[in-house]
Amino acid sequence: MNEKTAAEQLAVAESKPSGPQTVAPLAYDGPTRSRLDALRELVGLSRTRLDSRTLAEASRVLDEAAARRKLSGQHTVVAIAGATGSGKSQLFNALAGVAISETGVRRPTTAAPIACSWSDGAASLIDRLGIPGRLRRRPLQSPEAEAQLRGLVLVDLPDLDSAAVQHREQAERLLALVDAVIWVVDPEKYADAVLHERYLRPMAGHAEVMFVVLNQIDRLPGEAAHQVLDDLRRLLDEDGIALGEFGEPGATVLALSALTGDGIGELREALGQFVAERGAAARRILADLDAAAVRLWPVYTTGRRTGLSERARDEFSGRLADAVGATAAGEASERAWLRNANRACGTPWLRLWRWFLERSEPTTGQLPVRTQADEQATARQRVEQAVRTVSDRASAGLPAPWAQAVREAAVRGSQGLPEALDELAARAGLPTGRPPTPGWWPVAVLAQASMTLLQVVGGLWLVGQIVGVMSPNLGVPVLLMVAGIIGGPLVEWSCKMAARGPARRYGLEAERRLREAAAGCGRARVLDPVASELLRYQEIRDQYGRVIGARAGVR
């Protein structure tokens, strides 16, 4: 065993602490905790309306945030990711100061992730990544160089474009767990569509915990390195990744050569400052939370005004009133009042004649009358149409899950509604008994009786004269009879004119009672459950607003 081999063996010794290590757990600030709590409550409120696949990413973020919070806040886990041939393992070794990760021309080179920790106390973090002890390393560097990156846990991931599916899956699993990522690209494949579309673009919101390194600049002549770096920045900007330039938060973009060491010092300095801030873990959780909130946007927000307007409520109540025949009941009440007035104030001879005509009318040749079953079927169809219309209006503009919940609430409420309306119509519809008698009816009845009495007296007087019982005098009895004959219909006509107003008011009152009863029944069975679902959606939408925080608004 030569001296170089011994040094390498010392460098790759597993990073196991010599004794129990006490490290401070990660602490989230108030706004982060508030948003995580809001997301947790949002997921809980939504489980009855959204399927588990829709909530899977949000649940994962909550689980990872809780798991990361229990682990060290003094360490920052940074993954080095890249395609085959990009030189990420070379960069890993250059940062560690010694060959730890295998490099070479064989593809893929990195088959399993390797972790390198610059300080003790990171064992639980590496355990969370699922990296076994035999793949954990410590750098072999000077105390000064090691102090610069104290708290860093560097992970070399398998190649993202590896031909082995399990390698890609393992790399993607770890990308979801680390605090930050160093993306390593080379001059040949820095514009690779798979890298940008599958990885960089979906993680555009994670720019603050992202480094993009253009490796192998030693292969570029003259100013070509600057040109390629500028083109890389352009592509990142098109991906929506904010660049950390001029003091603005965003991704750090560097050019270096892991082979020659050119630019390694600059990356080491940037990494040292990044790790010393101890904020990468919380920023990663916030970026994950933002990404999960964006995915949930279509199921919680809408660009349209939602809810039931007063006009829609009134139209629903009106349709139910039509279904129970409120207008017909009012007209029937009005006719009943008028008939009662005719019976009380009409001429006895005309009433007798009308009764005789009604009895003598033939029953054949009449138009068929709709059966009660037909009327009930029509009323049921009107009720169903009213429920469909109001549910469609209430659910209009809502995201699909909540629109479905509103429609289901309306359908549940409509079950048994036609029968309830029929019972209600029987109770609150046409009043039983005679309509009330106004104060002027006794006077009208007395006047009509007087007209009848005049006719009778005049007729008896004439009969008496004819049979010779009374002395001849045609003027007075004829006058009495004419007064009675003309006065009776005149009194009846006057009573009809006077009865129109009270009869109309009586019919409108009966119609109003039935409409209010139908509206109350529809409100209790349909509108209130629908309003409850709309209120639940509003509460959940407000909760979603707390999840996305002050950086965005919910319409």
Side-chain angles (χ1 to χ4, degrees):
M1 180 182 299
N2 56 33
E3 183 177 350
K4 181 179 179 181
T5 303
E8 290 182 357
Q9 289 181 352
L10 179 61
V12 300
E14 295 181 8
S15 58
K16 294 181 180 179
S18 57
Q21 299 291 321
T22 302
V23 293
L26 178 65
Y28 299 132
D29 59 14
T32 302
R33 290 197 305 271
S34 178
R35 291 183 62 192
L36 288 171
D37 291 342
L39 180 61
R40 186 174 296 105
E41 185 173 352
L42 178 68
V43 171
L45 291 173
S46 305
R47 291 195 184 280
T48 58
R49 293 292 177 262
L50 302 179
D51 56 68
S52 57
R53 290 178 298 177
T54 304
L55 298 173
E57 180 62 18
S59 300
R60 186 197 69 80
V61 171
L62 291 173
D63 293 341
E64 296 303 335
R68 185 64 181 89
R69 186 177 184 178
K70 298 176 183 178
L71 303 178
S72 173
Q74 307 302 313
H75 292 79
T76 302
V77 182
V78 181
I80 299 182
T84 56
S86 61
K88 59 184 182 58
S89 296
Q90 276 187 339
L91 179 61
F92 183 87
N93 293 336
L95 292 173
V98 68
I100 295 178
S101 185
E102 181 183 357
T103 62
V105 296
R106 181 172 56 89
R107 301 290 184 265
T109 298
T110 306
I114 300 175
C116 182
S117 176
W118 267 255
S119 58
D120 294 335
S124 57
L125 277 173
I126 303 176
D127 289 341
R128 176 170 172 256
L129 301 179
I131 300 177
R134 60 184 177 81
L135 296 177
R136 303 181 187 186
R137 309 289 188 258
R138 291 296 298 272
L140 185 63
Q141 296 180 339
S142 64
E144 294 79 9
E146 186 171 349
Q148 186 182 26
L149 298 179
R150 183 175 301 278
L152 173 64
V153 178
L154 197 62
V155 180
D156 187 15
L157 298 182
D159 300 329
L160 295 176
D161 59 350
S162 172
V165 177
Q166 63 272 24
H167 292 177
R168 296 198 305 270
E169 292 176 347
Q170 191 171 24
E172 291 172 359
R173 178 184 65 84
L174 292 174
L175 281 174
L177 299 177
V178 297
D179 301 328
V181 184
I182 300 176
W183 298 99
V184 182
V185 298
D186 62 80
E188 294 180 354
K189 295 192 292 184
Y190 72 93
D192 181 63
V194 174
L195 173 67
H196 286 268
E197 294 176 6
R198 184 169 181 176
Y199 297 103
L200 294 178
R201 196 167 298 164
M203 293 190 67
H206 296 69
E208 294 185 34
V209 291
M210 186 184 297
F211 292 79
V212 182
V213 173
L214 175 62
N215 192 19
Q216 303 175 6
I217 60 171
D218 56 291
R219 297 168 50 192
L220 298 174
E223 295 296 322
H226 295 291
Q227 295 175 0
V228 173
L229 190 62
D230 289 342
D231 194 45
L232 175 60
R233 288 193 176 99
R234 178 187 62 81
L235 292 174
L236 295 176
D237 183 67
E238 291 178 357
D239 290 335
I241 298 175
L243 303 182
E245 298 175 339
F246 310 109
E248 295 293 327
T252 301
V253 183
L254 298 172
L256 53 81
S257 172
L259 182 63
T260 65
D262 186 18
I264 293 295
E266 185 180 357
L267 176 60
R268 188 188 300 275
E269 182 180 352
L271 268 177
Q273 182 179 355
F274 182 77
V275 172
E277 293 174 355
R278 304 287 190 262
R283 289 200 296 270
R284 171 61 194 264
I285 291 299
L286 275 179
D288 287 345
L289 194 154
D290 288 339
V294 169
R295 291 190 182 96
L296 292 175
W297 181 275
V299 299
Y300 287 119
T301 61
T302 175
R304 297 176 55 183
R305 184 180 182 86
T306 59
L308 270 180
S309 64
E310 286 299 322
R311 180 179 178 181
R313 293 172 178 270
D314 292 342
E315 288 182 359
F316 174 70
S317 300
R319 287 188 174 95
L320 293 187
D322 292 340
V324 298
T327 302
E331 293 173 351
S333 298
E334 181 179 354
R335 290 193 298 270
W337 207 99
L338 290 174
R339 283 196 302 270
N340 196 28
N342 288 335
R343 283 194 295 268
C345 307
T347 303
W349 321 117
L350 288 178
R351 293 207 304 271
L352 183 62
W353 176 249
R354 289 168 186 158
W355 174 83
F356 174 76
L357 290 178
E358 291 175 358
R359 293 292 302 270
S360 62
E361 283 182 356
T363 57
T364 60
Q366 296 181 353
L367 294 175
V369 180
R370 295 187 63 181
T371 65
Q372 184 178 5
D374 293 336
E375 294 178 353
Q376 290 178 350
T378 302
R380 179 179 294 275
Q381 291 173 357
R382 289 179 177 178
V383 171
E384 292 174 351
Q385 178 63 30
V387 172
R388 282 196 300 270
T389 301
V390 77
S391 65
D392 289 342
R393 290 188 177 182
S395 60
L398 291 176
W402 314 108
Q404 180 65 24
V406 168
R407 287 192 290 268
E408 290 176 354
V411 170
R412 287 195 302 269
S414 67
Q415 295 175 357
L417 180 60
E419 292 77 9
L421 289 173
D422 290 342
E423 181 181 353
L424 178 145
R427 292 199 315 267
L430 191 64
T432 57
R434 288 189 175 186
T437 302
W440 54 267
W441 275 19
V443 177
V445 171
L446 181 60
Q448 191 65 267
S450 299
M451 296 301 103
T452 304
L453 183 61
L454 288 177
Q455 297 177 51
V456 172
V457 170
L460 292 177
W461 197 333
L462 286 177
V463 171
Q465 293 182 17
I466 293 172
V467 298
V469 177
M470 301 181 66
S471 59
N473 185 4
L474 295 177
V476 175
V478 170
L479 182 62
L480 290 178
M481 288 188 65
V482 170
I485 293 172
I486 297 176
L490 184 61
V491 170
E492 183 178 1
W493 178 82
S494 301
C495 290
K496 282 185 178 180
M497 294 298 103
R500 284 184 177 181
R504 181 59 178 161
R505 289 192 294 272
Y506 183 71
L508 290 177
E509 177 63 21
E511 180 180 352
R512 183 192 63 79
R513 286 197 307 270
L514 191 52
R515 284 184 177 276
E516 289 182 352
C521 185
R523 181 172 56 252
R525 287 176 171 266
V526 177
L527 293 183
D528 286 349
V530 166
S532 178
E533 287 296 335
L534 291 173
L535 180 61
R536 180 183 178 89
Y537 165 71
Q538 182 63 46
E539 293 174 350
I540 290 180
R541 192 177 68 169
D542 293 342
Q543 188 69 24
Y544 177 73
R546 288 188 282 273
V547 170
I548 64 177
R551 284 178 283 182
V554 180
R555 292 184 65 183

